[in-house]
Amino acid sequence: MSDLESVPMLQLSEAPLIPWPSADGSRVPFEVFTRPDVFAREQEAIFRGPVWSYVALEAEIPEPNDFKTSFVGDTPVIVSRAEDGSLHVFVNRCAHRGSTVQRQTCGNARQHRCVYHQWAYNARGELVGVPYRRGVAGMGGYAADFDLRAHGLAKLRVASHKGVIFATFSPDTAPLEDYLEEPLLAAIDRLFSRPIRVLGHMRQRVRGNWKLYSENTRDPYHAALLHGFHATFGLYRTNQKRKGGTDSARAHSTGVTYGDDWRQAGRSGNIEQDKFVTNYSLADPSLLEGRPDFNDGVTVSITSIFPCLVIQQIMNTLATRHIRPKAADDFELYWTYFGYADDDEAMTATRLKQANLVGPAGLISMEDSEAIELIQRAIVRDGQENSFLEFGGLQADLDKDRQGEATIRAYWRYYAGLMGLAPAGGGA
Ligand code: FES
Ligand SMILES: [Fe+2]
């Protein structure tokens, strides 16, 4: 039986798991971040539902038989390139008795061999070898009609756009380009317009709910308030010119910030903030030196693709961030840093130096996971109480208001729809 068939269909006619307080997404009950049954339903309704989940970059598996282990929701998968260059994603769980098959994070392997009883699978996830198939000394073995083809690893659908690989469990998911839509496609095209080169990875475990990170990356206005480095060294000011957009379903979000100066020396937009420290200076100012990759004046670009991908450009540091949910109160952030294949040495050095801005201990990002954990610790009780999302006003124009919380409200409306949650009282 394939993995797809084994997933029970979500019963949307069931009573909603939790009362959903508002159709406009301006109130989100805290229990959506804490309850294991909500997490379990997300795995079915979202991560095995009609969405495309980011799993890897093609540049991470450039050669035949290259692979990377990844996740779709909390399900482990192997992302693999077969001998003919085709891409494959299959569940990293042995068809024999369920062991993890591939235990490395990445590598090159003609076969993925399960350590437990040595069942072996090829780069397409097909079972190609079983020890003692005919038995040993007249014992064990399998029946004569045992068919290797019936015991492969469960396959997902795969699609790649500009080398960004997505997978889905659902046969009903729309084609990738229709799922992403503009302006998300344009945002991906901009950063992946030239061949890339992977520079490295960082991993970070956050003791919080994965959706808090989805909110965080749809919320530009915390950037100058929470992140002291931003405010002090002027990398980002609330009054900078910004532009952004979403798809028609309002699932995704993309936004860019324009810098009037590559090094944002002007600090006037941060003057009333307590994080603004006038007498700090960088011991190594070269951290903020670089040169524009594009001629569009954009210094920061953050694109959040539902449900689990963030693509960033912060000055010259480029990365994908893969949100990997582990439990209601636990997720991993997996960062893949990249540059362009034709970068010179100086540019590569700049990108690596600026990688210190983000990641687990990043000068402008370490506070994000801390803020998420501060929330998670405080909401262990009183799950019916709500977060409050009205910044920018409920009538904000989503295509124009790039500072407020309209994008987050839209995210919650989309989420509630997928999860079969309805407003309390049966409203719209
Ligand atoms: S569980 Fe994998 S070979 Fe037995
Ligand atoms: Fe942040």
Side-chain angles (χ1 to χ4, degrees):
M1 187 164 64
S2 80
D3 215 82
L4 279 178
E5 289 162 340
S6 69
V7 177
M9 291 301 293
L10 182 71
Q11 300 297 318
L12 291 179
S13 56
E14 285 175 3
L17 267 182
I18 51 177
W20 195 251
S22 67
D24 62 15
S26 67
R27 301 288 187 281
V28 177
F30 291 132
E31 58 193 339
V32 81
F33 301 114
T34 59
R35 280 178 40 174
D37 55 349
V38 172
F39 183 83
R41 182 178 283 203
E42 287 168 353
Q43 298 307 314
E44 306 301 333
I46 295 175
F47 293 102
R48 296 186 180 218
V51 307
W52 286 101
S53 292
Y54 166 76
V55 286
L57 295 174
E58 285 199 44
E60 291 176 286
I61 49 168
E63 302 297 330
N65 298 318
D66 278 354
F67 71 87
K68 174 187 174 181
T69 50
S70 185
F71 288 86
V72 173
D74 62 359
T75 302
V77 298
I78 301 172
V79 187
S80 162
R81 190 183 288 280
E83 321 72 48
D84 64 354
S86 57
L87 297 169
H88 302 266
V89 177
F90 36 87
V91 175
N92 190 8
R93 183 182 60 233
C94 187
H96 180 218
R97 299 233 301 268
S99 168
T100 301
V101 176
Q102 182 52 260
R103 293 171 296 149
Q104 306 301 319
T105 54
C106 61
N108 183 278
R110 276 184 49 240
Q111 291 187 353
H112 303 280
R113 194 177 292 271
C114 177
V115 72
Y116 201 173
H117 315 90
Q118 304 278 316
W119 281 31
Y121 305 88
N122 66 15
R124 296 162 187 266
E126 298 158 347
L127 182 62
V128 292
V130 173
Y132 310 144
R133 188 170 166 189
R134 308 275 175 238
V136 179
M139 291 182 288
Y142 290 102
D145 64 353
F146 176 83
D147 185 359
L148 290 176
R149 286 170 300 182
H151 300 278
L153 300 178
K155 294 189 179 206
L156 285 76
R157 291 169 61 203
V158 190
S160 172
H161 181 82
K162 290 274 162 63
V164 185
I165 311 172
F166 297 81
T168 181
F169 277 100
S170 171
D172 301 324
T173 310
L176 179 62
E177 276 76 10
D178 295 347
Y179 175 73
L180 294 172
E181 288 186 5
E182 297 292 0
L184 287 306
L185 288 166
I188 294 175
D189 293 351
R190 176 175 172 272
L191 285 184
F192 294 91
S193 57
R194 291 146 52 198
I196 65 160
R197 184 160 74 91
V198 173
L199 298 178
H201 297 92
M202 282 198 228
R203 303 166 74 174
Q204 168 179 17
R205 204 70 180 247
V206 183
R207 309 292 171 196
N209 186 274
W210 66 278
K211 300 183 295 298
L212 293 169
Y213 198 75
S214 303
E215 284 193 321
N216 176 278
T217 52
R218 286 166 172 78
D219 162 11
Y221 93 102
H222 83 273
L225 298 166
L226 174 68
H227 301 304
F229 190 93
H230 264 324
T232 298
F233 298 108
L235 263 183
Y236 179 92
R237 303 187 313 272
T238 308
N239 62 352
Q240 276 176 263
K241 185 179 159 207
R242 297 182 49 77
K243 208 169 98 183
T246 64
D247 55 309
S248 57
R250 310 300 200 191
H252 322 300
S253 157
T254 184
V256 296
T257 302
Y258 295 93
D260 39 7
D261 177 352
W262 185 239
R263 281 207 284 163
Q264 292 296 315
R267 301 174 183 177
S268 58
N270 295 327
I271 243 149
E272 290 172 18
Q273 293 165 15
D274 62 356
K275 301 273 169 55
F276 177 58
V277 185
T278 47
N279 58 350
Y280 278 5
S281 61
L282 288 171
D284 179 6
S286 71
L287 175 69
L288 299 184
E289 281 162 12
R291 55 176 195 258
D293 278 303
F294 310 97
N295 292 321
D296 52 11
V298 170
T299 50
V300 177
S301 143
I302 301 289
T303 297
S304 294
I305 309 266
F306 190 92
C308 62
L309 171 64
V310 179
I311 307 172
Q312 69 159 65
Q313 173 218 339
I314 297 175
M315 301 180 73
N316 291 116
T317 180
L318 313 173
T320 58
R321 310 174 191 170
H322 185 189
I323 306 167
R324 299 174 167 184
K326 302 297 174 195
D329 59 355
D330 185 11
F331 71 94
E332 180 183 60
L333 259 189
Y334 187 99
W335 306 67
T336 301
Y337 295 85
F338 62 90
Y340 296 108
D342 59 2
D343 282 346
D344 58 26
E345 261 179 50
M347 184 53 112
T348 300
T350 296
R351 294 196 202 284
L352 291 173
K353 187 172 274 195
Q354 289 184 1
N356 290 298
L357 293 170
V358 289
L363 296 165
I364 57 168
S365 77
M366 61 183 151
E367 298 92 349
D368 290 318
S369 50
E370 180 64 13
I372 285 168
E373 294 190 358
L374 287 172
I375 293 173
Q376 198 74 32
R377 266 180 247 154
I379 59 173
V380 289
R381 294 284 154 220
D382 306 312
Q384 315 282 321
E385 291 189 16
N386 306 307
S387 66
F388 173 73
L389 293 155
E390 290 194 15
F391 190 65
L394 292 178
Q395 307 308 324
D397 180 340
L398 203 50
D399 295 317
K400 296 206 183 106
D401 176 15
R402 301 309 303 169
Q403 288 292 358
E405 289 170 338
T407 313
I408 305 177
R409 291 193 296 273
Y411 168 87
W412 285 113
R413 291 196 297 272
Y414 185 77
Y415 170 89
L418 277 180
M419 288 284 284
L421 302 172

Coordinates of all heavy atoms in Angstrom, one line a residue, residues 93-101 113-121 127 129-131 142, ligand 1:
R93 N 11.6 5.9 5.0 CA 11.1 5.0 6.0 C 11.0 3.6 5.3 O 10.3 3.4 4.3 CB 9.7 5.4 6.5 CG 9.2 4.4 7.6 CD 7.8 4.9 8.1 NE 6.9 4.8 7.0 CZ 6.0 5.8 6.7 NH1 6.1 7.0 7.4 NH2 5.2 5.7 5.7
C94 N 11.8 2.7 5.8 CA 11.9 1.4 5.2 C 10.6 0.7 5.0 O 9.8 0.6 5.9 CB 12.9 0.5 6.0 SG 13.3 -1.0 5.1
A95 N 10.4 0.1 3.8 CA 9.1 -0.6 3.5 C 9.1 -2.0 4.2 O 8.1 -2.7 4.2 CB 9.0 -0.8 2.0
H96 N 10.2 -2.4 4.9 CA 10.2 -3.6 5.6 C 9.6 -3.4 7.0 O 8.4 -3.7 7.2 CB 11.7 -4.1 5.7 CG 11.8 -5.4 6.5 ND1 12.8 -5.7 7.4 CD2 11.0 -6.5 6.5 CE1 12.6 -6.9 7.9 NE2 11.5 -7.4 7.4
R97 N 10.3 -2.8 7.9 CA 9.7 -2.6 9.2 C 9.8 -1.2 9.7 O 9.6 -1.0 10.9 CB 10.3 -3.6 10.2 CG 10.1 -5.1 9.8 CD 9.6 -5.9 10.9 NE 10.4 -5.9 12.1 CZ 11.3 -6.8 12.4 NH1 11.6 -7.8 11.6 NH2 12.0 -6.8 13.6
G98 N 10.0 -0.3 8.8 CA 9.8 1.1 9.2 C 11.0 1.9 9.6 O 10.9 3.0 10.1
S99 N 12.2 1.3 9.5 CA 13.4 2.0 10.0 C 13.7 3.2 9.1 O 13.4 3.2 7.9 CB 14.6 1.1 10.0 OG 15.8 1.8 10.2
T100 N 14.4 4.2 9.6 CA 14.9 5.3 8.8 C 16.0 4.6 7.9 O 16.8 3.8 8.3 CB 15.7 6.3 9.7 OG1 14.7 6.9 10.6 CG2 16.3 7.4 8.8
V101 N 15.9 4.9 6.6 CA 16.8 4.2 5.6 C 18.1 5.0 5.5 O 19.2 4.5 5.8 CB 16.1 4.1 4.2 CG1 17.1 3.5 3.2 CG2 14.8 3.2 4.3
R113 N 20.7 2.0 1.7 CA 20.6 0.7 2.3 C 20.1 0.8 3.7 O 20.8 1.5 4.5 CB 22.0 0.0 2.2 CG 22.0 -1.5 2.5 CD 23.4 -2.0 2.3 NE 23.8 -2.0 1.0 CZ 23.6 -3.0 0.1 NH1 23.0 -4.1 0.5 NH2 24.1 -2.9 -1.1
C114 N 19.1 0.2 4.1 CA 18.6 0.2 5.5 C 19.5 -0.6 6.4 O 19.9 -1.7 6.1 CB 17.1 -0.3 5.5 SG 16.5 -0.4 7.2
V115 N 19.9 0.0 7.5 CA 20.9 -0.6 8.3 C 20.3 -1.8 9.1 O 21.1 -2.7 9.4 CB 21.4 0.5 9.4 CG1 20.4 0.8 10.4 CG2 22.7 -0.1 10.0
Y116 N 19.0 -1.9 9.2 CA 18.4 -2.9 10.1 C 18.6 -4.3 9.5 O 19.2 -5.2 10.1 CB 17.0 -2.6 10.4 CG 16.4 -3.2 11.6 CD1 15.1 -2.8 12.0 CD2 17.0 -4.1 12.4 CE1 14.5 -3.3 13.2 CE2 16.5 -4.7 13.5 CZ 15.2 -4.3 13.9 OH 14.6 -4.8 15.0
H117 N 18.0 -4.5 8.2 CA 18.1 -5.8 7.6 C 18.6 -5.7 6.2 O 18.4 -6.6 5.3 CB 16.8 -6.6 7.6 CG 16.0 -6.6 8.9 ND1 15.1 -5.6 9.2 CD2 16.1 -7.4 10.0 CE1 14.7 -5.8 10.5 NE2 15.2 -6.8 11.0
Q118 N 19.1 -4.5 5.9 CA 19.8 -4.3 4.6 C 19.0 -4.3 3.3 O 19.4 -4.7 2.3 CB 21.0 -5.4 4.4 CG 21.9 -5.4 5.6 CD 23.0 -4.4 5.5 OE1 23.6 -4.2 4.4 NE2 23.3 -3.7 6.5
W119 N 17.7 -4.0 3.5 CA 17.0 -3.8 2.2 C 17.6 -2.6 1.5 O 18.0 -1.6 2.2 CB 15.5 -3.5 2.5 CG 14.7 -4.7 2.8 CD1 15.1 -5.9 3.4 CD2 13.2 -4.9 2.6 NE1 14.0 -6.8 3.5 CE2 12.9 -6.2 3.0 CE3 12.3 -4.1 2.0 CZ2 11.6 -6.7 2.9 CZ3 11.0 -4.6 1.9 CH2 10.6 -5.8 2.3
A120 N 17.7 -2.7 0.2 CA 18.4 -1.6 -0.5 C 17.5 -1.0 -1.6 O 16.8 -1.7 -2.3 CB 19.7 -2.2 -1.2
Y121 N 17.5 0.3 -1.7 CA 16.7 1.0 -2.6 C 17.6 1.9 -3.6 O 18.6 2.4 -3.1 CB 15.8 2.0 -1.8 CG 14.9 1.3 -0.8 CD1 15.4 1.1 0.5 CD2 13.7 0.8 -1.1 CE1 14.7 0.4 1.5 CE2 12.9 0.1 -0.1 CZ 13.4 0.0 1.1 OH 12.7 -0.7 2.1
L127 N 12.8 -0.6 -4.5 CA 13.5 -1.7 -3.8 C 14.3 -2.5 -4.9 O 13.7 -3.0 -5.8 CB 12.5 -2.6 -3.1 CG 13.1 -3.7 -2.3 CD1 14.0 -3.2 -1.1 CD2 12.0 -4.6 -1.7
G129 N 17.1 -4.7 -3.7 CA 17.8 -5.8 -3.1 C 17.3 -6.2 -1.7 O 17.0 -5.3 -0.9
V130 N 17.1 -7.5 -1.5 CA 16.7 -8.0 -0.2 C 17.5 -9.2 0.2 O 17.6 -10.2 -0.5 CB 15.2 -8.5 -0.3 CG1 14.7 -9.1 1.0 CG2 14.3 -7.3 -0.6
P131 N 18.2 -9.1 1.4 CA 19.1 -10.3 1.8 C 18.3 -11.5 2.1 O 17.1 -11.4 2.5 CB 19.8 -9.8 3.1 CG 19.6 -8.3 3.0 CD 18.3 -8.0 2.3
Y142 N 11.6 -15.4 1.3 CA 10.2 -14.9 0.9 C 9.6 -15.9 -0.1 O 10.3 -16.7 -0.7 CB 10.3 -13.5 0.3 CG 10.6 -12.5 1.4 CD1 11.9 -11.9 1.5 CD2 9.6 -12.1 2.3 CE1 12.2 -11.0 2.5 CE2 9.9 -11.1 3.3 CZ 11.2 -10.6 3.4 OH 11.5 -9.7 4.4
Ligands
FES1 S1 13.5 -2.3 8.7 FE1 14.7 -1.8 6.9 S2 15.5 -3.7 6.3 FE2 14.3 -4.2 8.0

